[in-house]
PDB file of all heavy atoms in Angstrom:
ATOM      1  N   ARG B  75     125.289 -17.626  -2.363  1.00 88.00           N
ATOM      2  CA  ARG B  75     124.321 -17.945  -3.405  1.00 88.00           C
ATOM      3  C   ARG B  75     123.643 -19.281  -3.178  1.00 88.00           C
ATOM      4  O   ARG B  75     122.853 -19.727  -3.999  1.00 88.00           O
ATOM      5  CB  ARG B  75     125.028 -17.981  -4.767  1.00 88.00           C
ATOM      6  CG  ARG B  75     125.787 -16.717  -5.084  1.00 88.00           C
ATOM      7  CD  ARG B  75     124.826 -15.580  -5.409  1.00 88.00           C
ATOM      8  NE  ARG B  75     124.015 -15.906  -6.566  1.00 88.00           N
ATOM      9  CZ  ARG B  75     124.402 -15.758  -7.821  1.00 88.00           C
ATOM     10  NH1 ARG B  75     125.596 -15.261  -8.097  1.00 88.00           N
ATOM     11  NH2 ARG B  75     123.595 -16.084  -8.818  1.00 88.00           N
ATOM     12  N   MET B  76     123.967 -19.936  -2.039  1.00 90.00           N
ATOM     13  CA  MET B  76     123.364 -21.232  -1.752  1.00 90.00           C
ATOM     14  C   MET B  76     121.858 -21.084  -1.615  1.00 90.00           C
ATOM     15  O   MET B  76     121.374 -20.116  -1.035  1.00 90.00           O
ATOM     16  CB  MET B  76     123.970 -21.754  -0.444  1.00 90.00           C
ATOM     17  CG  MET B  76     123.730 -23.207  -0.173  1.00 90.00           C
ATOM     18  SD  MET B  76     124.421 -23.689   1.433  1.00 90.00           S
ATOM     19  CE  MET B  76     126.141 -23.390   1.160  1.00 90.00           C
ATOM     20  N   LEU B  77     121.113 -22.059  -2.107  1.00 92.00           N
ATOM     21  CA  LEU B  77     119.665 -22.027  -1.916  1.00 92.00           C
ATOM     22  C   LEU B  77     119.370 -22.546  -0.509  1.00 92.00           C
ATOM     23  O   LEU B  77     119.836 -23.613  -0.132  1.00 92.00           O
ATOM     24  CB  LEU B  77     118.982 -22.927  -2.954  1.00 92.00           C
ATOM     25  CG  LEU B  77     119.118 -22.449  -4.389  1.00 92.00           C
ATOM     26  CD1 LEU B  77     118.584 -23.508  -5.347  1.00 92.00           C
ATOM     27  CD2 LEU B  77     118.372 -21.137  -4.588  1.00 92.00           C
ATOM     28  N   ILE B  78     118.598 -21.767   0.247  1.00 93.00           N
ATOM     29  CA  ILE B  78     118.327 -22.165   1.626  1.00 93.00           C
ATOM     30  C   ILE B  78     116.833 -22.277   1.852  1.00 93.00           C
ATOM     31  O   ILE B  78     116.071 -21.343   1.571  1.00 93.00           O
ATOM     32  CB  ILE B  78     118.924 -21.151   2.621  1.00 93.00           C
ATOM     33  CG1 ILE B  78     120.441 -21.097   2.442  1.00 93.00           C
ATOM     34  CG2 ILE B  78     118.571 -21.541   4.048  1.00 93.00           C
ATOM     35  CD1 ILE B  78     121.122 -20.145   3.388  1.00 93.00           C
ATOM     36  N   LEU B  79     116.430 -23.414   2.390  1.00 93.00           N
ATOM     37  CA  LEU B  79     115.029 -23.635   2.719  1.00 93.00           C
ATOM     38  C   LEU B  79     114.938 -23.893   4.220  1.00 93.00           C
ATOM     39  O   LEU B  79     115.650 -24.746   4.737  1.00 93.00           O
ATOM     40  CB  LEU B  79     114.505 -24.832   1.936  1.00 93.00           C
ATOM     41  CG  LEU B  79     113.027 -25.206   2.126  1.00 93.00           C
ATOM     42  CD1 LEU B  79     112.456 -25.708   0.813  1.00 93.00           C
ATOM     43  CD2 LEU B  79     112.863 -26.272   3.178  1.00 93.00           C
ATOM     44  N   LEU B  80     114.072 -23.148   4.895  1.00 93.00           N
ATOM     45  CA  LEU B  80     113.919 -23.337   6.331  1.00 93.00           C
ATOM     46  C   LEU B  80     112.757 -24.275   6.616  1.00 93.00           C
ATOM     47  O   LEU B  80     111.677 -24.116   6.049  1.00 93.00           O
ATOM     48  CB  LEU B  80     113.661 -21.990   7.024  1.00 93.00           C
ATOM     49  CG  LEU B  80     114.831 -21.016   7.027  1.00 93.00           C
ATOM     50  CD1 LEU B  80     114.389 -19.682   7.608  1.00 93.00           C
ATOM     51  CD2 LEU B  80     115.989 -21.564   7.823  1.00 93.00           C
ATOM     52  N   LEU B  81     113.022 -25.240   7.487  1.00 90.00           N
ATOM     53  CA  LEU B  81     111.997 -26.220   7.839  1.00 90.00           C
ATOM     54  C   LEU B  81     111.758 -26.076   9.328  1.00 90.00           C
ATOM     55  O   LEU B  81     112.664 -26.257  10.126  1.00 90.00           O
ATOM     56  CB  LEU B  81     112.511 -27.626   7.520  1.00 90.00           C
ATOM     57  CG  LEU B  81     111.602 -28.802   7.870  1.00 90.00           C
ATOM     58  CD1 LEU B  81     110.342 -28.761   7.041  1.00 90.00           C
ATOM     59  CD2 LEU B  81     112.358 -30.094   7.618  1.00 90.00           C
ATOM     60  N   THR B  82     110.560 -25.713   9.722  1.00 84.00           N
ATOM     61  CA  THR B  82     110.404 -25.375  11.125  1.00 84.00           C
ATOM     62  C   THR B  82     108.970 -25.532  11.604  1.00 84.00           C
ATOM     63  O   THR B  82     108.034 -25.540  10.824  1.00 84.00           O
ATOM     64  CB  THR B  82     110.830 -23.914  11.350  1.00 84.00           C
ATOM     65  OG1 THR B  82     110.522 -23.542  12.689  1.00 84.00           O
ATOM     66  CG2 THR B  82     110.058 -23.006  10.424  1.00 84.00           C
ATOM     67  N   ALA B  83     108.810 -25.611  12.931  1.00 80.00           N
ATOM     68  CA  ALA B  83     107.465 -25.685  13.487  1.00 80.00           C
ATOM     69  C   ALA B  83     106.903 -24.298  13.783  1.00 80.00           C
ATOM     70  O   ALA B  83     105.753 -24.150  14.130  1.00 80.00           O
ATOM     71  CB  ALA B  83     107.480 -26.512  14.761  1.00 80.00           C
ATOM     72  N   LYS B  84     107.735 -23.270  13.620  1.00 74.00           N
ATOM     73  CA  LYS B  84     107.267 -21.910  13.914  1.00 74.00           C
ATOM     74  C   LYS B  84     106.472 -21.391  12.743  1.00 74.00           C
ATOM     75  O   LYS B  84     107.017 -21.198  11.657  1.00 74.00           O
ATOM     76  CB  LYS B  84     108.465 -20.989  14.144  1.00 74.00           C
ATOM     77  CG  LYS B  84     109.158 -21.238  15.458  1.00 74.00           C
ATOM     78  CD  LYS B  84     110.144 -20.126  15.746  1.00 74.00           C
ATOM     79  CE  LYS B  84     110.647 -20.226  17.171  1.00 74.00           C
ATOM     80  NZ  LYS B  84     111.409 -19.064  17.569  1.00 74.00           N
ATOM     81  N   ALA B  85     105.195 -21.146  12.985  1.00 72.00           N
ATOM     82  CA  ALA B  85     104.322 -20.835  11.856  1.00 72.00           C
ATOM     83  C   ALA B  85     103.697 -19.458  11.908  1.00 72.00           C
ATOM     84  O   ALA B  85     102.912 -19.105  11.050  1.00 72.00           O
ATOM     85  CB  ALA B  85     103.204 -21.875  11.792  1.00 72.00           C
ATOM     86  N   GLN B  86     104.027 -18.658  12.918  1.00 69.00           N
ATOM     87  CA  GLN B  86     103.368 -17.356  12.999  1.00 69.00           C
ATOM     88  C   GLN B  86     103.899 -16.417  11.930  1.00 69.00           C
ATOM     89  O   GLN B  86     104.992 -16.584  11.410  1.00 69.00           O
ATOM     90  CB  GLN B  86     103.617 -16.735  14.376  1.00 69.00           C
ATOM     91  CG  GLN B  86     103.202 -17.623  15.523  1.00 69.00           C
ATOM     92  CD  GLN B  86     101.811 -18.135  15.352  1.00 69.00           C
ATOM     93  OE1 GLN B  86     100.896 -17.390  15.061  1.00 69.00           O
ATOM     94  NE2 GLN B  86     101.648 -19.438  15.477  1.00 69.00           N
ATOM     95  N   GLU B  87     103.118 -15.357  11.677  1.00 70.00           N
ATOM     96  CA  GLU B  87     103.506 -14.429  10.617  1.00 70.00           C
ATOM     97  C   GLU B  87     104.859 -13.791  10.886  1.00 70.00           C
ATOM     98  O   GLU B  87     105.671 -13.614   9.982  1.00 70.00           O
ATOM     99  CB  GLU B  87     102.442 -13.342  10.464  1.00 70.00           C
ATOM    100  CG  GLU B  87     101.166 -13.887   9.875  1.00 70.00           C
ATOM    101  CD  GLU B  87      99.989 -12.936  10.045  1.00 70.00           C
ATOM    102  OE1 GLU B  87     100.037 -12.078  10.950  1.00 70.00           O
ATOM    103  OE2 GLU B  87      99.048 -13.068   9.271  1.00 70.00           O
ATOM    104  N   GLN B  88     105.101 -13.445  12.171  1.00 71.00           N
ATOM    105  CA  GLN B  88     106.394 -12.809  12.453  1.00 71.00           C
ATOM    106  C   GLN B  88     107.533 -13.784  12.184  1.00 71.00           C
ATOM    107  O   GLN B  88     108.607 -13.383  11.756  1.00 71.00           O
ATOM    108  CB  GLN B  88     106.544 -12.368  13.918  1.00 71.00           C
ATOM    109  CG  GLN B  88     105.386 -11.643  14.536  1.00 71.00           C
ATOM    110  CD  GLN B  88     104.439 -12.575  15.227  1.00 71.00           C
ATOM    111  OE1 GLN B  88     103.598 -13.198  14.577  1.00 71.00           O
ATOM    112  NE2 GLN B  88     104.543 -12.656  16.534  1.00 71.00           N
ATOM    113  N   ASP B  89     107.268 -15.085  12.459  1.00 78.00           N
ATOM    114  CA  ASP B  89     108.338 -16.060  12.252  1.00 78.00           C
ATOM    115  C   ASP B  89     108.662 -16.176  10.777  1.00 78.00           C
ATOM    116  O   ASP B  89     109.831 -16.273  10.395  1.00 78.00           O
ATOM    117  CB  ASP B  89     107.914 -17.431  12.785  1.00 78.00           C
ATOM    118  CG  ASP B  89     107.553 -17.354  14.254  1.00 78.00           C
ATOM    119  OD1 ASP B  89     108.347 -16.775  15.010  1.00 78.00           O
ATOM    120  OD2 ASP B  89     106.486 -17.872  14.615  1.00 78.00           O
ATOM    121  N   VAL B  90     107.622 -16.168   9.950  1.00 84.00           N
ATOM    122  CA  VAL B  90     107.848 -16.241   8.508  1.00 84.00           C
ATOM    123  C   VAL B  90     108.653 -15.028   8.064  1.00 84.00           C
ATOM    124  O   VAL B  90     109.633 -15.133   7.329  1.00 84.00           O
ATOM    125  CB  VAL B  90     106.504 -16.298   7.748  1.00 84.00           C
ATOM    126  CG1 VAL B  90     106.740 -16.341   6.261  1.00 84.00           C
ATOM    127  CG2 VAL B  90     105.700 -17.499   8.205  1.00 84.00           C
ATOM    128  N   GLU B  91     108.233 -13.864   8.571  1.00 81.00           N
ATOM    129  CA  GLU B  91     108.971 -12.630   8.255  1.00 81.00           C
ATOM    130  C   GLU B  91     110.421 -12.751   8.659  1.00 81.00           C
ATOM    131  O   GLU B  91     111.329 -12.410   7.898  1.00 81.00           O
ATOM    132  CB  GLU B  91     108.375 -11.469   9.055  1.00 81.00           C
ATOM    133  CG  GLU B  91     107.446 -10.583   8.260  1.00 81.00           C
ATOM    134  CD  GLU B  91     106.939  -9.424   9.112  1.00 81.00           C
ATOM    135  OE1 GLU B  91     107.771  -8.787   9.781  1.00 81.00           O
ATOM    136  OE2 GLU B  91     105.730  -9.194   9.097  1.00 81.00           O
ATOM    137  N   THR B  92     110.625 -13.234   9.884  1.00 80.00           N
ATOM    138  CA  THR B  92     112.003 -13.366  10.368  1.00 80.00           C
ATOM    139  C   THR B  92     112.799 -14.317   9.482  1.00 80.00           C
ATOM    140  O   THR B  92     113.959 -14.058   9.168  1.00 80.00           O
ATOM    141  CB  THR B  92     112.008 -13.914  11.804  1.00 80.00           C
ATOM    142  OG1 THR B  92     111.072 -13.184  12.573  1.00 80.00           O
ATOM    143  CG2 THR B  92     113.383 -13.801  12.422  1.00 80.00           C
ATOM    144  N   GLY B  93     112.144 -15.406   9.098  1.00 86.00           N
ATOM    145  CA  GLY B  93     112.839 -16.391   8.276  1.00 86.00           C
ATOM    146  C   GLY B  93     113.293 -15.815   6.959  1.00 86.00           C
ATOM    147  O   GLY B  93     114.450 -15.940   6.564  1.00 86.00           O
ATOM    148  N   PHE B  94     112.365 -15.151   6.276  1.00 88.00           N
ATOM    149  CA  PHE B  94     112.761 -14.550   5.003  1.00 88.00           C
ATOM    150  C   PHE B  94     113.723 -13.407   5.218  1.00 88.00           C
ATOM    151  O   PHE B  94     114.611 -13.152   4.419  1.00 88.00           O
ATOM    152  CB  PHE B  94     111.516 -14.089   4.235  1.00 88.00           C
ATOM    153  CG  PHE B  94     110.810 -15.220   3.540  1.00 88.00           C
ATOM    154  CD1 PHE B  94     109.630 -15.727   4.034  1.00 88.00           C
ATOM    155  CD2 PHE B  94     111.361 -15.787   2.407  1.00 88.00           C
ATOM    156  CE1 PHE B  94     108.984 -16.777   3.398  1.00 88.00           C
ATOM    157  CE2 PHE B  94     110.725 -16.837   1.767  1.00 88.00           C
ATOM    158  CZ  PHE B  94     109.527 -17.338   2.266  1.00 88.00           C
TER     159      PHE B  94
END
Side-chain angles (χ1 to χ4, degrees):
Chain B
R75 305 288 299 278
M76 195 183 297
L77 294 172
I78 299 181
L79 181 144
L80 292 174
L81 178 65
T82 173
K84 287 191 169 190
Q86 305 310 312
E87 290 165 338
Q88 314 92 279
D89 302 312
V90 179
E91 259 182 47
T92 312
F94 281 105

